[in-house]
Every structure is written in structure tokens, then in C-alpha cells.
mmCIF file with all atom_site columns, all heavy atoms in Angstrom:
data_model
loop_
_atom_site.group_PDB
_atom_site.id
_atom_site.type_symbol
_atom_site.label_atom_id
_atom_site.label_alt_id
_atom_site.label_comp_id
_atom_site.label_asym_id
_atom_site.label_entity_id
_atom_site.label_seq_id
_atom_site.pdbx_PDB_ins_code
_atom_site.Cartn_x
_atom_site.Cartn_y
_atom_site.Cartn_z
_atom_site.occupancy
_atom_site.B_iso_or_equiv
_atom_site.pdbx_formal_charge
_atom_site.auth_seq_id
_atom_site.auth_comp_id
_atom_site.auth_asym_id
_atom_site.auth_atom_id
_atom_site.pdbx_PDB_model_num
ATOM 1   N N   . THR Y 1 1  ? 0.828   -1.208 0.000  1.00 0.00 ? 1  THR Y N   1
ATOM 2   C CA  . THR Y 1 1  ? 0.000   0.000  0.000  1.00 0.00 ? 1  THR Y CA  1
ATOM 3   C C   . THR Y 1 1  ? 0.859   1.252  0.000  1.00 0.00 ? 1  THR Y C   1
ATOM 4   O O   . THR Y 1 1  ? 0.585   2.216  -0.720 1.00 0.00 ? 1  THR Y O   1
ATOM 5   C CB  . THR Y 1 1  ? -0.932  0.014  1.221  1.00 0.00 ? 1  THR Y CB  1
ATOM 6   O OG1 . THR Y 1 1  ? -1.744  -1.161 1.211  1.00 0.00 ? 1  THR Y OG1 1
ATOM 7   C CG2 . THR Y 1 1  ? -1.819  1.243  1.214  1.00 0.00 ? 1  THR Y CG2 1
ATOM 8   N N   . SER Y 1 2  ? 1.906   1.242  0.824  1.00 0.00 ? 2  SER Y N   1
ATOM 9   C CA  . SER Y 1 2  ? 2.801   2.395  0.878  1.00 0.00 ? 2  SER Y CA  1
ATOM 10  C C   . SER Y 1 2  ? 3.403   2.684  -0.489 1.00 0.00 ? 2  SER Y C   1
ATOM 11  O O   . SER Y 1 2  ? 3.546   3.849  -0.889 1.00 0.00 ? 2  SER Y O   1
ATOM 12  C CB  . SER Y 1 2  ? 3.912   2.141  1.905  1.00 0.00 ? 2  SER Y CB  1
ATOM 13  O OG  . SER Y 1 2  ? 4.690   3.295  2.118  1.00 0.00 ? 2  SER Y OG  1
ATOM 14  N N   . ASP Y 1 3  ? 3.722   1.632  -1.239 1.00 0.00 ? 3  ASP Y N   1
ATOM 15  C CA  . ASP Y 1 3  ? 4.291   1.810  -2.569 1.00 0.00 ? 3  ASP Y CA  1
ATOM 16  C C   . ASP Y 1 3  ? 3.299   2.451  -3.545 1.00 0.00 ? 3  ASP Y C   1
ATOM 17  O O   . ASP Y 1 3  ? 3.703   3.023  -4.563 1.00 0.00 ? 3  ASP Y O   1
ATOM 18  C CB  . ASP Y 1 3  ? 4.767   0.466  -3.137 1.00 0.00 ? 3  ASP Y CB  1
ATOM 19  C CG  . ASP Y 1 3  ? 5.981   -0.081 -2.400 1.00 0.00 ? 3  ASP Y CG  1
ATOM 20  O OD1 . ASP Y 1 3  ? 6.651   0.690  -1.692 1.00 0.00 ? 3  ASP Y OD1 1
ATOM 21  O OD2 . ASP Y 1 3  ? 6.243   -1.297 -2.515 1.00 0.00 ? 3  ASP Y OD2 1
ATOM 22  N N   . LYS Y 1 4  ? 2.008   2.335  -3.249 1.00 0.00 ? 4  LYS Y N   1
ATOM 23  C CA  . LYS Y 1 4  ? 0.984   2.888  -4.136 1.00 0.00 ? 4  LYS Y CA  1
ATOM 24  C C   . LYS Y 1 4  ? 0.685   4.364  -3.855 1.00 0.00 ? 4  LYS Y C   1
ATOM 25  O O   . LYS Y 1 4  ? 0.038   5.032  -4.669 1.00 0.00 ? 4  LYS Y O   1
ATOM 26  C CB  . LYS Y 1 4  ? -0.314  2.089  -4.001 1.00 0.00 ? 4  LYS Y CB  1
ATOM 27  C CG  . LYS Y 1 4  ? -0.218  0.664  -4.516 1.00 0.00 ? 4  LYS Y CG  1
ATOM 28  C CD  . LYS Y 1 4  ? -1.527  -0.073 -4.291 1.00 0.00 ? 4  LYS Y CD  1
ATOM 29  C CE  . LYS Y 1 4  ? -1.436  -1.524 -4.743 1.00 0.00 ? 4  LYS Y CE  1
ATOM 30  N NZ  . LYS Y 1 4  ? -2.684  -2.280 -4.464 1.00 0.00 ? 4  LYS Y NZ  1
ATOM 31  N N   . VAL Y 1 5  ? 1.122   4.854  -2.704 1.00 0.00 ? 5  VAL Y N   1
ATOM 32  C CA  . VAL Y 1 5  ? 0.886   6.267  -2.395 1.00 0.00 ? 5  VAL Y CA  1
ATOM 33  C C   . VAL Y 1 5  ? 1.735   7.118  -3.332 1.00 0.00 ? 5  VAL Y C   1
ATOM 34  O O   . VAL Y 1 5  ? 2.936   6.902  -3.480 1.00 0.00 ? 5  VAL Y O   1
ATOM 35  C CB  . VAL Y 1 5  ? 1.255   6.578  -0.932 1.00 0.00 ? 5  VAL Y CB  1
ATOM 36  C CG1 . VAL Y 1 5  ? 1.042   8.066  -0.632 1.00 0.00 ? 5  VAL Y CG1 1
ATOM 37  C CG2 . VAL Y 1 5  ? 0.416   5.729  0.032  1.00 0.00 ? 5  VAL Y CG2 1
ATOM 38  N N   . SER Y 1 6  ? 1.099   8.099  -3.962 1.00 0.00 ? 6  SER Y N   1
ATOM 39  C CA  . SER Y 1 6  ? 1.833   8.958  -4.888 1.00 0.00 ? 6  SER Y CA  1
ATOM 40  C C   . SER Y 1 6  ? 1.232   10.350 -4.898 1.00 0.00 ? 6  SER Y C   1
ATOM 41  O O   . SER Y 1 6  ? 0.058   10.545 -4.578 1.00 0.00 ? 6  SER Y O   1
ATOM 42  C CB  . SER Y 1 6  ? 1.818   8.378  -6.302 1.00 0.00 ? 6  SER Y CB  1
ATOM 43  O OG  . SER Y 1 6  ? 0.531   8.503  -6.871 1.00 0.00 ? 6  SER Y OG  1
ATOM 44  N N   . ILE Y 1 7  ? 2.058   11.302 -5.279 1.00 0.00 ? 7  ILE Y N   1
ATOM 45  C CA  . ILE Y 1 7  ? 1.588   12.683 -5.354 1.00 0.00 ? 7  ILE Y CA  1
ATOM 46  C C   . ILE Y 1 7  ? 0.465   12.807 -6.378 1.00 0.00 ? 7  ILE Y C   1
ATOM 47  O O   . ILE Y 1 7  ? -0.498  13.553 -6.195 1.00 0.00 ? 7  ILE Y O   1
ATOM 48  C CB  . ILE Y 1 7  ? 2.757   13.615 -5.710 1.00 0.00 ? 7  ILE Y CB  1
ATOM 49  C CG1 . ILE Y 1 7  ? 3.777   13.635 -4.580 1.00 0.00 ? 7  ILE Y CG1 1
ATOM 50  C CG2 . ILE Y 1 7  ? 2.261   15.031 -5.997 1.00 0.00 ? 7  ILE Y CG2 1
ATOM 51  C CD1 . ILE Y 1 7  ? 5.025   14.435 -4.877 1.00 0.00 ? 7  ILE Y CD1 1
ATOM 52  N N   . ALA Y 1 8  ? 0.552   12.036 -7.462 1.00 0.00 ? 8  ALA Y N   1
ATOM 53  C CA  . ALA Y 1 8  ? -0.435  12.135 -8.543 1.00 0.00 ? 8  ALA Y CA  1
ATOM 54  C C   . ALA Y 1 8  ? -1.782  11.544 -8.154 1.00 0.00 ? 8  ALA Y C   1
ATOM 55  O O   . ALA Y 1 8  ? -2.835  12.122 -8.437 1.00 0.00 ? 8  ALA Y O   1
ATOM 56  C CB  . ALA Y 1 8  ? 0.104   11.449 -9.797 1.00 0.00 ? 8  ALA Y CB  1
ATOM 57  N N   . SER Y 1 9  ? -1.758  10.381 -7.495 1.00 0.00 ? 9  SER Y N   1
ATOM 58  C CA  . SER Y 1 9  ? -3.021  9.673  -7.234 1.00 0.00 ? 9  SER Y CA  1
ATOM 59  C C   . SER Y 1 9  ? -3.451  9.698  -5.775 1.00 0.00 ? 9  SER Y C   1
ATOM 60  O O   . SER Y 1 9  ? -4.522  9.202  -5.445 1.00 0.00 ? 9  SER Y O   1
ATOM 61  C CB  . SER Y 1 9  ? -2.906  8.219  -7.707 1.00 0.00 ? 9  SER Y CB  1
ATOM 62  O OG  . SER Y 1 9  ? -1.822  7.561  -7.075 1.00 0.00 ? 9  SER Y OG  1
ATOM 63  N N   . GLY Y 1 10 ? -2.642  10.237 -4.889 1.00 0.00 ? 10 GLY Y N   1
ATOM 64  C CA  . GLY Y 1 10 ? -3.030  10.346 -3.493 1.00 0.00 ? 10 GLY Y CA  1
ATOM 65  C C   . GLY Y 1 10 ? -2.881  9.044  -2.742 1.00 0.00 ? 10 GLY Y C   1
ATOM 66  O O   . GLY Y 1 10 ? -2.033  8.215  -3.053 1.00 0.00 ? 10 GLY Y O   1
ATOM 67  N N   . ILE Y 1 11 ? -3.718  8.853  -1.718 1.00 0.00 ? 11 ILE Y N   1
ATOM 68  C CA  . ILE Y 1 11 ? -3.631  7.655  -0.892 1.00 0.00 ? 11 ILE Y CA  1
ATOM 69  C C   . ILE Y 1 11 ? -4.695  6.652  -1.334 1.00 0.00 ? 11 ILE Y C   1
ATOM 70  O O   . ILE Y 1 11 ? -5.802  7.033  -1.726 1.00 0.00 ? 11 ILE Y O   1
ATOM 71  C CB  . ILE Y 1 11 ? -3.795  7.983  0.608  1.00 0.00 ? 11 ILE Y CB  1
ATOM 72  C CG1 . ILE Y 1 11 ? -5.175  8.566  0.921  1.00 0.00 ? 11 ILE Y CG1 1
ATOM 73  C CG2 . ILE Y 1 11 ? -2.706  8.973  1.045  1.00 0.00 ? 11 ILE Y CG2 1
ATOM 74  C CD1 . ILE Y 1 11 ? -5.417  8.791  2.412  1.00 0.00 ? 11 ILE Y CD1 1
ATOM 75  N N   . PRO Y 1 12 ? -4.388  5.348  -1.300 1.00 0.00 ? 12 PRO Y N   1
ATOM 76  C CA  . PRO Y 1 12 ? -5.352  4.329  -1.748 1.00 0.00 ? 12 PRO Y CA  1
ATOM 77  C C   . PRO Y 1 12 ? -6.590  4.292  -0.860 1.00 0.00 ? 12 PRO Y C   1
ATOM 78  O O   . PRO Y 1 12 ? -6.527  4.568  0.346  1.00 0.00 ? 12 PRO Y O   1
ATOM 79  C CB  . PRO Y 1 12 ? -4.550  3.029  -1.636 1.00 0.00 ? 12 PRO Y CB  1
ATOM 80  C CG  . PRO Y 1 12 ? -3.117  3.440  -1.640 1.00 0.00 ? 12 PRO Y CG  1
ATOM 81  C CD  . PRO Y 1 12 ? -3.084  4.774  -0.955 1.00 0.00 ? 12 PRO Y CD  1
ATOM 82  N N   . SER Y 1 13 ? -7.717  3.931  -1.449 1.00 0.00 ? 13 SER Y N   1
ATOM 83  C CA  . SER Y 1 13 ? -8.973  3.855  -0.695 1.00 0.00 ? 13 SER Y CA  1
ATOM 84  C C   . SER Y 1 13 ? -9.171  2.496  -0.035 1.00 0.00 ? 13 SER Y C   1
ATOM 85  O O   . SER Y 1 13 ? -10.006 2.361  0.856  1.00 0.00 ? 13 SER Y O   1
ATOM 86  C CB  . SER Y 1 13 ? -10.161 4.154  -1.616 1.00 0.00 ? 13 SER Y CB  1
ATOM 87  O OG  . SER Y 1 13 ? -10.216 3.191  -2.670 1.00 0.00 ? 13 SER Y OG  1
ATOM 88  N N   . ASN Y 1 14 ? -8.418  1.497  -0.478 1.00 0.00 ? 14 ASN Y N   1
ATOM 89  C CA  . ASN Y 1 14 ? -8.574  0.146  0.065  1.00 0.00 ? 14 ASN Y CA  1
ATOM 90  C C   . ASN Y 1 14 ? -7.208  -0.372 0.532  1.00 0.00 ? 14 ASN Y C   1
ATOM 91  O O   . ASN Y 1 14 ? -6.631  -1.275 -0.064 1.00 0.00 ? 14 ASN Y O   1
ATOM 92  C CB  . ASN Y 1 14 ? -9.165  -0.785 -0.998 1.00 0.00 ? 14 ASN Y CB  1
ATOM 93  C CG  . ASN Y 1 14 ? -9.668  -2.085 -0.400 1.00 0.00 ? 14 ASN Y CG  1
ATOM 94  O OD1 . ASN Y 1 14 ? -10.232 -2.101 0.688  1.00 0.00 ? 14 ASN Y OD1 1
ATOM 95  N ND2 . ASN Y 1 14 ? -9.465  -3.179 -1.111 1.00 0.00 ? 14 ASN Y ND2 1
ATOM 96  N N   . PRO Y 1 15 ? -6.687  0.202  1.624  1.00 0.00 ? 15 PRO Y N   1
ATOM 97  C CA  . PRO Y 1 15 ? -5.293  -0.044 1.990  1.00 0.00 ? 15 PRO Y CA  1
ATOM 98  C C   . PRO Y 1 15 ? -5.088  -1.341 2.770  1.00 0.00 ? 15 PRO Y C   1
ATOM 99  O O   . PRO Y 1 15 ? -6.011  -1.899 3.352  1.00 0.00 ? 15 PRO Y O   1
ATOM 100 C CB  . PRO Y 1 15 ? -4.979  1.151  2.901  1.00 0.00 ? 15 PRO Y CB  1
ATOM 101 C CG  . PRO Y 1 15 ? -6.298  1.391  3.597  1.00 0.00 ? 15 PRO Y CG  1
ATOM 102 C CD  . PRO Y 1 15 ? -7.345  1.138  2.557  1.00 0.00 ? 15 PRO Y CD  1
ATOM 103 N N   . GLY Y 1 16 ? -3.843  -1.773 2.775  1.00 0.00 ? 16 GLY Y N   1
ATOM 104 C CA  . GLY Y 1 16 ? -3.398  -2.777 3.720  1.00 0.00 ? 16 GLY Y CA  1
ATOM 105 C C   . GLY Y 1 16 ? -2.807  -2.042 4.909  1.00 0.00 ? 16 GLY Y C   1
ATOM 106 O O   . GLY Y 1 16 ? -1.907  -1.208 4.750  1.00 0.00 ? 16 GLY Y O   1
ATOM 107 N N   . ILE Y 1 17 ? -3.325  -2.325 6.090  1.00 0.00 ? 17 ILE Y N   1
ATOM 108 C CA  . ILE Y 1 17 ? -2.921  -1.587 7.294  1.00 0.00 ? 17 ILE Y CA  1
ATOM 109 C C   . ILE Y 1 17 ? -2.301  -2.559 8.288  1.00 0.00 ? 17 ILE Y C   1
ATOM 110 O O   . ILE Y 1 17 ? -2.948  -3.522 8.707  1.00 0.00 ? 17 ILE Y O   1
ATOM 111 C CB  . ILE Y 1 17 ? -4.124  -0.865 7.933  1.00 0.00 ? 17 ILE Y CB  1
ATOM 112 C CG1 . ILE Y 1 17 ? -4.750  0.114  6.925  1.00 0.00 ? 17 ILE Y CG1 1
ATOM 113 C CG2 . ILE Y 1 17 ? -3.707  -0.131 9.207  1.00 0.00 ? 17 ILE Y CG2 1
ATOM 114 C CD1 . ILE Y 1 17 ? -6.062  0.714  7.399  1.00 0.00 ? 17 ILE Y CD1 1
ATOM 115 N N   . GLU Y 1 18 ? -1.064  -2.310 8.655  1.00 0.00 ? 18 GLU Y N   1
ATOM 116 C CA  . GLU Y 1 18 ? -0.385  -3.190 9.604  1.00 0.00 ? 18 GLU Y CA  1
ATOM 117 C C   . GLU Y 1 18 ? -0.809  -2.920 11.043 1.00 0.00 ? 18 GLU Y C   1
ATOM 118 O O   . GLU Y 1 18 ? -0.878  -3.840 11.856 1.00 0.00 ? 18 GLU Y O   1
ATOM 119 C CB  . GLU Y 1 18 ? 1.133   -3.021 9.483  1.00 0.00 ? 18 GLU Y CB  1
ATOM 120 C CG  . GLU Y 1 18 ? 1.699   -3.558 8.174  1.00 0.00 ? 18 GLU Y CG  1
ATOM 121 C CD  . GLU Y 1 18 ? 3.217   -3.532 8.152  1.00 0.00 ? 18 GLU Y CD  1
ATOM 122 O OE1 . GLU Y 1 18 ? 3.816   -2.799 8.977  1.00 0.00 ? 18 GLU Y OE1 1
ATOM 123 O OE2 . GLU Y 1 18 ? 3.802   -4.250 7.322  1.00 0.00 ? 18 GLU Y OE2 1
ATOM 124 N N   . ALA Y 1 19 ? -1.069  -1.656 11.361 1.00 0.00 ? 19 ALA Y N   1
ATOM 125 C CA  . ALA Y 1 19 ? -1.437  -1.302 12.738 1.00 0.00 ? 19 ALA Y CA  1
ATOM 126 C C   . ALA Y 1 19 ? -2.088  0.070  12.736 1.00 0.00 ? 19 ALA Y C   1
ATOM 127 O O   . ALA Y 1 19 ? -1.859  0.892  11.842 1.00 0.00 ? 19 ALA Y O   1
ATOM 128 C CB  . ALA Y 1 19 ? -0.211  -1.303 13.645 1.00 0.00 ? 19 ALA Y CB  1
ATOM 129 N N   . ILE Y 1 20 ? -2.913  0.307  13.761 1.00 0.00 ? 20 ILE Y N   1
ATOM 130 C CA  . ILE Y 1 20 ? -3.504  1.621  13.988 1.00 0.00 ? 20 ILE Y CA  1
ATOM 131 C C   . ILE Y 1 20 ? -3.119  2.016  15.409 1.00 0.00 ? 20 ILE Y C   1
ATOM 132 O O   . ILE Y 1 20 ? -3.632  1.475  16.382 1.00 0.00 ? 20 ILE Y O   1
ATOM 133 C CB  . ILE Y 1 20 ? -5.033  1.619  13.816 1.00 0.00 ? 20 ILE Y CB  1
ATOM 134 C CG1 . ILE Y 1 20 ? -5.402  1.109  12.419 1.00 0.00 ? 20 ILE Y CG1 1
ATOM 135 C CG2 . ILE Y 1 20 ? -5.597  3.020  14.040 1.00 0.00 ? 20 ILE Y CG2 1
ATOM 136 C CD1 . ILE Y 1 20 ? -6.891  0.927  12.202 1.00 0.00 ? 20 ILE Y CD1 1
ATOM 137 N N   . MET Y 1 21 ? -2.184  2.943  15.505 1.00 0.00 ? 21 MET Y N   1
ATOM 138 C CA  . MET Y 1 21 ? -1.615  3.315  16.804 1.00 0.00 ? 21 MET Y CA  1
ATOM 139 C C   . MET Y 1 21 ? -2.396  4.441  17.464 1.00 0.00 ? 21 MET Y C   1
ATOM 140 O O   . MET Y 1 21 ? -2.862  5.371  16.805 1.00 0.00 ? 21 MET Y O   1
ATOM 141 C CB  . MET Y 1 21 ? -0.151  3.739  16.641 1.00 0.00 ? 21 MET Y CB  1
ATOM 142 C CG  . MET Y 1 21 ? 0.516   4.162  17.945 1.00 0.00 ? 21 MET Y CG  1
ATOM 143 S SD  . MET Y 1 21 ? 2.164   4.895  17.713 1.00 0.00 ? 21 MET Y SD  1
ATOM 144 C CE  . MET Y 1 21 ? 3.112   3.417  17.354 1.00 0.00 ? 21 MET Y CE  1
ATOM 145 N N   . GLN Y 1 22 ? -2.500  4.343  18.787 1.00 0.00 ? 22 GLN Y N   1
ATOM 146 C CA  . GLN Y 1 22 ? -3.084  5.399  19.604 1.00 0.00 ? 22 GLN Y CA  1
ATOM 147 C C   . GLN Y 1 22 ? -2.034  5.915  20.595 1.00 0.00 ? 22 GLN Y C   1
ATOM 148 O O   . GLN Y 1 22 ? -1.076  5.221  20.925 1.00 0.00 ? 22 GLN Y O   1
ATOM 149 C CB  . GLN Y 1 22 ? -4.253  4.873  20.431 1.00 0.00 ? 22 GLN Y CB  1
ATOM 150 C CG  . GLN Y 1 22 ? -5.334  4.129  19.684 1.00 0.00 ? 22 GLN Y CG  1
ATOM 151 C CD  . GLN Y 1 22 ? -6.327  3.533  20.665 1.00 0.00 ? 22 GLN Y CD  1
ATOM 152 O OE1 . GLN Y 1 22 ? -7.319  4.158  21.012 1.00 0.00 ? 22 GLN Y OE1 1
ATOM 153 N NE2 . GLN Y 1 22 ? -6.049  2.327  21.127 1.00 0.00 ? 22 GLN Y NE2 1
ATOM 154 N N   . ASN Y 1 23 ? -2.257  7.114  21.067 1.00 0.00 ? 23 ASN Y N   1
ATOM 155 C CA  . ASN Y 1 23 ? -1.506  7.683  22.197 1.00 0.00 ? 23 ASN Y CA  1
ATOM 156 C C   . ASN Y 1 23 ? -0.029  7.867  21.909 1.00 0.00 ? 23 ASN Y C   1
ATOM 157 O O   . ASN Y 1 23 ? 0.816   7.682  22.792 1.00 0.00 ? 23 ASN Y O   1
ATOM 158 C CB  . ASN Y 1 23 ? -1.689  6.840  23.461 1.00 0.00 ? 23 ASN Y CB  1
ATOM 159 C CG  . ASN Y 1 23 ? -1.470  7.659  24.731 1.00 0.00 ? 23 ASN Y CG  1
ATOM 160 O OD1 . ASN Y 1 23 ? -1.719  8.862  24.743 1.00 0.00 ? 23 ASN Y OD1 1
ATOM 161 N ND2 . ASN Y 1 23 ? -1.008  7.018  25.787 1.00 0.00 ? 23 ASN Y ND2 1
ATOM 162 N N   . SER Y 1 24 ? 0.292   8.245  20.686 1.00 0.00 ? 24 SER Y N   1
ATOM 163 C CA  . SER Y 1 24 ? 1.661   8.652  20.396 1.00 0.00 ? 24 SER Y CA  1
ATOM 164 C C   . SER Y 1 24 ? 1.805   10.091 20.851 1.00 0.00 ? 24 SER Y C   1
ATOM 165 O O   . SER Y 1 24 ? 1.311   11.004 20.202 1.00 0.00 ? 24 SER Y O   1
ATOM 166 C CB  . SER Y 1 24 ? 1.956   8.534  18.897 1.00 0.00 ? 24 SER Y CB  1
ATOM 167 O OG  . SER Y 1 24 ? 3.250   8.980  18.601 1.00 0.00 ? 24 SER Y OG  1
ATOM 168 N N   . GLN Y 1 25 ? 2.432   10.279 21.963 1.00 0.00 ? 25 GLN Y N   1
ATOM 169 C CA  . GLN Y 1 25 ? 2.437   11.594 22.605 1.00 0.00 ? 25 GLN Y CA  1
ATOM 170 C C   . GLN Y 1 25 ? 3.433   12.539 21.939 1.00 0.00 ? 25 GLN Y C   1
ATOM 171 O O   . GLN Y 1 25 ? 3.084   13.317 21.060 1.00 0.00 ? 25 GLN Y O   1
ATOM 172 C CB  . GLN Y 1 25 ? 2.705   11.420 24.103 1.00 0.00 ? 25 GLN Y CB  1
ATOM 173 C CG  . GLN Y 1 25 ? 1.609   10.615 24.780 1.00 0.00 ? 25 GLN Y CG  1
ATOM 174 C CD  . GLN Y 1 25 ? 1.962   10.186 26.195 1.00 0.00 ? 25 GLN Y CD  1
ATOM 175 O OE1 . GLN Y 1 25 ? 3.125   10.038 26.558 1.00 0.00 ? 25 GLN Y OE1 1
ATOM 176 N NE2 . GLN Y 1 25 ? 0.948   9.951  27.009 1.00 0.00 ? 25 GLN Y NE2 1
ATOM 177 N N   . GLY Y 1 26 ? 4.704   12.482 22.320 1.00 0.00 ? 26 GLY Y N   1
ATOM 178 C CA  . GLY Y 1 26 ? 5.679   13.354 21.685 1.00 0.00 ? 26 GLY Y CA  1
ATOM 179 C C   . GLY Y 1 26 ? 6.227   12.801 20.389 1.00 0.00 ? 26 GLY Y C   1
ATOM 180 O O   . GLY Y 1 26 ? 6.949   13.487 19.679 1.00 0.00 ? 26 GLY Y O   1
ATOM 181 N N   . GLY Y 1 27 ? 5.917   11.560 20.068 1.00 0.00 ? 27 GLY Y N   1
ATOM 182 C CA  . GLY Y 1 27 ? 6.497   10.918 18.896 1.00 0.00 ? 27 GLY Y CA  1
ATOM 183 C C   . GLY Y 1 27 ? 5.759   11.236 17.606 1.00 0.00 ? 27 GLY Y C   1
ATOM 184 O O   . GLY Y 1 27 ? 4.567   11.538 17.618 1.00 0.00 ? 27 GLY Y O   1
ATOM 185 N N   . GLY Y 1 28 ? 6.482   11.152 16.485 1.00 0.00 ? 28 GLY Y N   1
ATOM 186 C CA  . GLY Y 1 28 ? 5.858   11.311 15.177 1.00 0.00 ? 28 GLY Y CA  1
ATOM 187 C C   . GLY Y 1 28 ? 5.667   12.748 14.770 1.00 0.00 ? 28 GLY Y C   1
ATOM 188 O O   . GLY Y 1 28 ? 6.201   13.206 13.762 1.00 0.00 ? 28 GLY Y O   1
ATOM 189 N N   . SER Y 1 29 ? 4.880   13.481 15.546 1.00 0.00 ? 29 SER Y N   1
ATOM 190 C CA  . SER Y 1 29 ? 4.592   14.874 15.232 1.00 0.00 ? 29 SER Y CA  1
ATOM 191 C C   . SER Y 1 29 ? 3.999   15.544 16.456 1.00 0.00 ? 29 SER Y C   1
ATOM 192 O O   . SER Y 1 29 ? 3.066   15.022 17.066 1.00 0.00 ? 29 SER Y O   1
ATOM 193 C CB  . SER Y 1 29 ? 3.609   14.967 14.055 1.00 0.00 ? 29 SER Y CB  1
ATOM 194 O OG  . SER Y 1 29 ? 3.393   16.308 13.669 1.00 0.00 ? 29 SER Y OG  1
ATOM 195 N N   . ILE Y 1 30 ? 4.553   16.683 16.812 1.00 0.00 ? 30 ILE Y N   1
ATOM 196 C CA  . ILE Y 1 30 ? 4.015   17.441 17.944 1.00 0.00 ? 30 ILE Y CA  1
ATOM 197 C C   . ILE Y 1 30 ? 4.222   18.925 17.669 1.00 0.00 ? 30 ILE Y C   1
ATOM 198 O O   . ILE Y 1 30 ? 5.221   19.322 17.057 1.00 0.00 ? 30 ILE Y O   1
ATOM 199 C CB  . ILE Y 1 30 ? 4.678   17.023 19.275 1.00 0.00 ? 30 ILE Y CB  1
ATOM 200 C CG1 . ILE Y 1 30 ? 3.968   17.681 20.459 1.00 0.00 ? 30 ILE Y CG1 1
ATOM 201 C CG2 . ILE Y 1 30 ? 6.167   17.314 19.274 1.00 0.00 ? 30 ILE Y CG2 1
ATOM 202 C CD1 . ILE Y 1 30 ? 4.404   17.144 21.804 1.00 0.00 ? 30 ILE Y CD1 1
ATOM 203 N N   . ALA Y 1 31 ? 3.271   19.742 18.088 1.00 0.00 ? 31 ALA Y N   1
ATOM 204 C CA  . ALA Y 1 31 ? 3.338   21.189 17.860 1.00 0.00 ? 31 ALA Y CA  1
ATOM 205 C C   . ALA Y 1 31 ? 3.628   21.907 19.172 1.00 0.00 ? 31 ALA Y C   1
ATOM 206 O O   . ALA Y 1 31 ? 3.053   21.580 20.210 1.00 0.00 ? 31 ALA Y O   1
ATOM 207 C CB  . ALA Y 1 31 ? 2.020   21.695 17.263 1.00 0.00 ? 31 ALA Y CB  1
ATOM 208 N N   . ILE Y 1 32 ? 4.515   22.897 19.109 1.00 0.00 ? 32 ILE Y N   1
ATOM 209 C CA  . ILE Y 1 32 ? 4.875   23.667 20.298 1.00 0.00 ? 32 ILE Y CA  1
ATOM 210 C C   . ILE Y 1 32 ? 5.294   25.061 19.855 1.00 0.00 ? 32 ILE Y C   1
ATOM 211 O O   . ILE Y 1 32 ? 5.934   25.229 18.809 1.00 0.00 ? 32 ILE Y O   1
ATOM 212 C CB  . ILE Y 1 32 ? 6.020   22.957 21.079 1.00 0.00 ? 32 ILE Y CB  1
ATOM 213 C CG1 . ILE Y 1 32 ? 6.395   23.749 22.338 1.00 0.00 ? 32 ILE Y CG1 1
ATOM 214 C CG2 . ILE Y 1 32 ? 7.233   22.698 20.192 1.00 0.00 ? 32 ILE Y CG2 1
ATOM 215 C CD1 . ILE Y 1 32 ? 7.349   22.986 23.260 1.00 0.00 ? 32 ILE Y CD1 1
ATOM 216 N N   . THR Y 1 33 ? 4.911   26.063 20.613 1.00 0.00 ? 33 THR Y N   1
ATOM 217 C CA  . THR Y 1 33 ? 5.329   27.409 20.253 1.00 0.00 ? 33 THR Y CA  1
ATOM 218 C C   . THR Y 1 33 ? 6.844   27.509 20.335 1.00 0.00 ? 33 THR Y C   1
ATOM 219 O O   . THR Y 1 33 ? 7.493   26.834 21.138 1.00 0.00 ? 33 THR Y O   1
ATOM 220 C CB  . THR Y 1 33 ? 4.703   28.471 21.169 1.00 0.00 ? 33 THR Y CB  1
ATOM 221 O OG1 . THR Y 1 33 ? 5.221   28.323 22.498 1.00 0.00 ? 33 THR Y OG1 1
ATOM 222 C CG2 . THR Y 1 33 ? 3.180   28.364 21.188 1.00 0.00 ? 33 THR Y CG2 1
ATOM 223 N N   . ARG Y 1 34 ? 7.403   28.349 19.501 1.00 0.00 ? 34 ARG Y N   1
ATOM 224 C CA  . ARG Y 1 34 ? 8.858   28.512 19.500 1.00 0.00 ? 34 ARG Y CA  1
ATOM 225 C C   . ARG Y 1 34 ? 9.339   28.994 20.868 1.00 0.00 ? 34 ARG Y C   1
ATOM 226 O O   . ARG Y 1 34 ? 10.373  28.545 21.372 1.00 0.00 ? 34 ARG Y O   1
ATOM 227 C CB  . ARG Y 1 34 ? 9.267   29.509 18.404 1.00 0.00 ? 34 ARG Y CB  1
ATOM 228 C CG  . ARG Y 1 34 ? 10.755  29.532 18.100 1.00 0.00 ? 34 ARG Y CG  1
ATOM 229 C CD  . ARG Y 1 34 ? 11.042  30.446 16.913 1.00 0.00 ? 34 ARG Y CD  1
ATOM 230 N NE  . ARG Y 1 34 ? 12.433  30.324 16.488 1.00 0.00 ? 34 ARG Y NE  1
ATOM 231 C CZ  . ARG Y 1 34 ? 13.432  31.012 17.013 1.00 0.00 ? 34 ARG Y CZ  1
ATOM 232 N NH1 . ARG Y 1 34 ? 13.201  31.855 18.004 1.00 0.00 ? 34 ARG Y NH1 1
ATOM 233 N NH2 . ARG Y 1 34 ? 14.672  30.840 16.565 1.00 0.00 ? 34 ARG Y NH2 1
#
């Protein structure tokens, strides 16, 4: 599925998903004022 993601066609509508994570606190992406 990851290989099918592209700027031209976007994200697939019928993906293969390995996991759906919850509670990623500071990891991955976090916003904070400078």
C-alpha cells in the first residue's frame, strides 16, 4: 500500500494496514510554540 501512495493519485482507498496506533504523545509529530 505504501508503494501505491503517490503525489499524482493520493492515498489508496482500500489499503493494507499493519497497525492503527493510539496515544503517540511526543512521537511522530508534535506542535509547540517557539
Side-chain angles (χ1 to χ4, degrees):
T1 302
S2 188
D3 291 343
K4 293 178 183 177
V5 178
S6 72
I7 294 175
S9 57
I11 63 175
S13 61
N14 194 38
I17 301 171
E18 291 187 342
I20 303 174
M21 179 189 285
Q22 308 173 91
N23 205 30
S24 177
Q25 297 169 334
S29 184
I30 188 170
I32 181 171
T33 67
R34 193 174 188 274

